[in-house]
Structure formats: C-alpha cells, structure tokens
C-alpha cells in the first residue's frame, strides 16, 4: 500500500536569536513593522527563483495545488516573493510568477526592488519586451536565452558606448550575459564599469551617445543548433498571460546559421505576424503545423499579416535565408507575433 503523502506547505522557520549583554553601542533605528504573509495556492507547477526574473537561478519547484505564503511583490506586479526555506535562498525567500499563484485575498505586501514610480532604482534593469541575452555586447554573439517582458535583472557592466549592458545570467559564461540597452528600462548605468568583450574591466564613464539600436557587424551568424524539435524560442500565449512575442535573431549565408525555428501555441483563432529585417533582405518566413507548411511565405518588411490558426495547437515558425554562393549575406531580423492587431 502506498503511504499517503503529507501536505506540502512552503513556510519559513525563524532562526533562534541569542540576546547579548547591553553595551555602549548606539541603538539602531527600530525595525519596520512585520507584515503578515498572505496565503496563496499554486495553480500549476512553478519554478521558485532567487530573483524576480526568468533569468534568475532556479531554487526549486513547487507542485500544483500547493499552499504558499506571499511576503512581497516586484514593481510590475508580475512576481510574488514567498517564504521558501532553501540553502541558496536569501533570508528564506524565493520568487514565483504571479500568474500561477491564486491568493486568498488581495495581497497587501510591500513592493521590493524598486517602486511603481521608480522601478529601475539601483543597478537593475526591467525588460520591456522579450529579448535575447547574448554572450557578448553585439548581435554577432550567440544567444544564451531570452528575457520575458517585466523580467528584472541585475546590471554588472556596460560596453564602451552604453548600447549593451552586462547582466547576471547564471547559464552564461562566468554567470554573465549581455542585453541591448534599447529594450530595457534601467537606471544607474552611469556608475557601471566598462567591460570589454573578453570580460576585462577597463574603467567607468558616462557614454555621451547611446545609439537606439545595436550596430550590425557583417560576420556569419552563430550556429545555434536549433531544429523543429529544439526551437530557439518557445512561447505559450494565454488570455491572462503572454500576449506578444518579439524575437530578435540573425541569419547568414553561405556561412553561418541560415535558419531559425520558433515555436508558439495560440489560444485564439488568429495571430498577427510581421518580420522586419536589417541587412540582406533574402529572408523568408513560413508557419509549420505537423511538419507541413500551412501559410504562404512572409517576406522581410511585409505589412503585418493576420494568420488563421487552430487554438491550443503547437506551431513552428521557420525563418530561413535564401542560399547564396557569392559574398556573405547577413540579416538581423525582428519577428513579432501578437494575439491582437
């Protein structure tokens, strides 16, 4: 007979505090009042992370239908801080996506890591859209992963002109990654060290000019080894969750990566898609369902097209460059998929 599993409750245990004898040390300011945690229940299996970001370290996983104690929230209201005793959890706290937590009451918990009026306070940045994290300061560096809108990341450096920001990214080389400054909201950039492509700190300084978009470098696109079974990006659209995917990638031919695969699952019968390109315009897009193309090609800089899809069905976007036997053809593209026009 299988034993009955004990109820799983994520709570915190306060450490024992030893009292010391009185001394001449001045008393510090009184601690702020303790705010009672708010109960919540997970609606699905969720990752617990060290920071309010999908780029942060995963501390563990909480099953669905598990009670948790909410103790704080991020500035955008997209993440809840919860009690989570774990050796790597700071002060026994972790962060979970608010989308998958159902609170018992409206949580009256403090905003942590900034405020609604000034969410970028400190050396942090908030992603304004889904964007790539790269191994170096430029689109010619390989993609390490992606940030989702409203992800909060800690800044650790910048390139010489401030167009690219170095962030803490656990899966990157030495735990670092790079994002374009054009797609994040950040403060404190002027105090960050200038970091070279090799990771060497060469000083600090305020850039006089910050270009709105990265400068393109004509080199072969990095081979990211994606495939239909291993797409470079994947998104689940939901009525109360993700509504838009913006993916920035690059392709080249005859050398380098000539195709990308991006997966998405819609919840409605339409999506709206566009492909913007810089560089060569020999790039096309097709949508694949069950290994078969289901829509005509979309070319670079075509007007946004309404695509008929089946709800809750997995689709693949195949973006590929036309073969070239002559000089290197390089394209940096932005794919946009929206659930509303």
């Amino acid at each position: 007979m299988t034993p009955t599993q004990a109820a799983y409750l994520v709570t915190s245990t306060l450490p024992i505090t030893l009292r010391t004898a009185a001394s001449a040390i001045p008393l510090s300011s009184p601690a702020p009042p303790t705010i009672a945690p708010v109960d919540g229940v997970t609606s699905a299996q969720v990752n617990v992370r060290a920071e309010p970001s999908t780029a942060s370290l995963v501390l563990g996983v909480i099953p669905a239908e598990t009670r948790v104690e909410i103790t704080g929230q991020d500035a955008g209201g997209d993440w809840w801080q919860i009690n989570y005793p774990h050796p790597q959890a700071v002060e026994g706290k972790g962060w979970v996506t608010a989308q998958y937590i159902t609170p018992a009451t409206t949580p009256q918990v403090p905003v942590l890591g900034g405020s609604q009026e000034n969410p970028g306070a400190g050396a942090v940045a908030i992603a304004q859209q889904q964007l790539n994290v790269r191994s170096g300061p430029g689109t010619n560096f390989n993609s390490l992963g992606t940030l989702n809108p409203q992800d909060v990341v800690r800044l650790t450096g910048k390139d010489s002109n401030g167009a690219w920001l170095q962030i803490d990214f656990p899966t990157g080389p030495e735990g670092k990654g790079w994002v374009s400054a054009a797609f994040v909201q950040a403060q404190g950039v002027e105090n960050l060290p200038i970091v070279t492509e090799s990771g060497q700190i060469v000083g600090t300084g305020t850039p006089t000019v910050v270009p709105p978009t990265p400068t393109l470098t004509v080199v072969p696109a990095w081979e990211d080894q994606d495939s239909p079974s291993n797409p470079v990006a994947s998104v689940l659209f939901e009525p109360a969750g993700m509504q838009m995917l913006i993916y920035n990638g690059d392709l080249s031919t005859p050398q380098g990566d000539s195709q990308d695969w991006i997966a998405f699952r819609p919840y409605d019968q339409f999506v709206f898609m566009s492909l913007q390109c810089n560089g060569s315009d020999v790039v096309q897009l097709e949508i694949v369902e069950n290994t078969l193309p289901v829509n005509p090609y979309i070319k670079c800089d075509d007007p946004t097209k309404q695509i008929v899809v089946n709800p809750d069905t997995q689709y693949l976007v195949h973006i590929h460059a036309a073969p070239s036997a002559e000089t290197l053809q390089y394209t940096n593209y932005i794919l946009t998929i929206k659930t509303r026009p």
Side-chain angles (χ1 to χ4, degrees):
M1 181 176 67
T2 304
T4 302
Q5 184 178 4
Y8 182 33
L9 169 62
V10 181
T11 62
S12 63
T13 302
L14 297 178
I16 298 174
T17 303
L18 299 179
R19 294 186 177 273
T20 57
S23 67
I25 299 175
L27 296 176
S28 59
S29 301
T34 301
I35 298 177
V38 175
D39 286 344
V41 177
T42 59
S43 60
Q45 178 175 290
V46 294
N47 290 329
V48 183
R49 297 185 180 270
E51 301 287 346
S53 168
T54 54
S56 180
L57 175 70
V58 175
L59 302 175
V61 178
I62 298 178
E65 303 300 325
T66 301
R67 180 188 165 199
V68 296
E69 293 181 339
I70 302 169
T71 59
Q73 61 181 311
D74 74 324
D78 298 292
W79 294 80
W80 295 125
Q81 185 194 64
I82 64 171
N83 285 325
Y84 192 71
H86 186 279
Q88 292 180 278
V90 178
E91 297 181 352
K93 308 292 184 184
W95 292 85
V96 292
T97 308
Q99 177 181 348
Y100 300 113
I101 306 296
T102 304
T105 60
T106 302
Q108 301 296 324
V109 291
V111 174
L112 307 173
S115 65
Q116 296 288 355
E117 294 76 19
N118 187 18
V124 296
I126 301 177
Q128 300 302 289
Q129 63 179 47
Q130 190 170 60
L131 74 158
N132 292 339
V133 179
R134 297 189 178 271
S135 61
T139 56
N140 54 305
F141 290 91
N142 60 293
S143 176
L144 303 173
T146 58
L147 297 180
N148 290 320
Q150 299 305 311
D151 273 353
V152 180
V153 289
R154 194 178 308 279
L155 300 176
T156 58
K158 63 191 175 191
D159 70 347
S160 59
N161 62 10
W164 288 82
L165 302 175
Q166 188 187 60
I167 67 171
D168 279 335
F169 198 70
T171 59
E174 299 182 354
K176 305 297 181 184
W178 291 83
V179 295
S180 170
F183 302 121
V184 299
Q185 177 186 355
Q187 285 192 355
V189 174
E190 65 278 2
N191 299 320
L192 293 172
I194 297 173
V195 183
T196 64
E197 294 180 3
S198 62
Q200 181 181 2
I201 296 176
V202 296
T204 59
T206 303
T208 55
V209 177
V210 178
T213 56
T215 301
L216 300 179
T217 304
V218 182
V219 296
W222 180 76
E223 292 277 6
D224 51 24
Q225 306 300 323
D226 65 326
S227 65
S229 59
N230 182 36
V232 70
S234 181
V235 63
L236 171 65
F237 292 119
E238 295 178 305
M242 183 72 74
Q243 297 283 314
M244 179 171 62
L245 165 70
I246 300 177
Y247 182 81
N248 176 215
D250 53 349
L251 301 173
S252 65
T253 183
Q255 295 90 33
D257 187 22
S258 63
Q259 59 182 337
D260 280 337
W261 296 89
I262 293 125
F264 73 94
R265 185 181 294 270
Y267 65 86
D268 205 349
Q269 60 182 337
F270 298 108
V271 294
F272 300 84
M273 194 172 300
S274 65
L275 184 68
Q276 297 176 323
C277 303
N278 287 311
S280 172
D281 60 356
V282 292
V283 171
Q284 292 181 324
L285 176 157
E286 63 182 352
I287 303 176
V288 178
E289 179 186 2
N290 295 326
T291 74
L292 297 176
V294 295
N295 278 283
Y297 286 111
I298 296 176
K299 297 181 180 180
C300 286
D301 303 319
D302 280 350
T304 298
K305 292 188 177 182
Q306 177 177 295
I307 309 295
V308 178
V309 292
N310 295 315
D312 199 31
T313 299
Q314 184 80 353
Y315 287 90
L316 287 169
V317 177
H318 183 205
I319 303 176
H320 55 94
S324 172
E326 301 178 355
T327 59
L328 179 68
Q329 300 292 315
Y330 174 89
T331 303
N332 179 268
Y333 68 84
I334 297 178
L335 168 68
T336 303
I337 307 175
K338 299 186 293 185
T339 57
R340 293 289 182 268

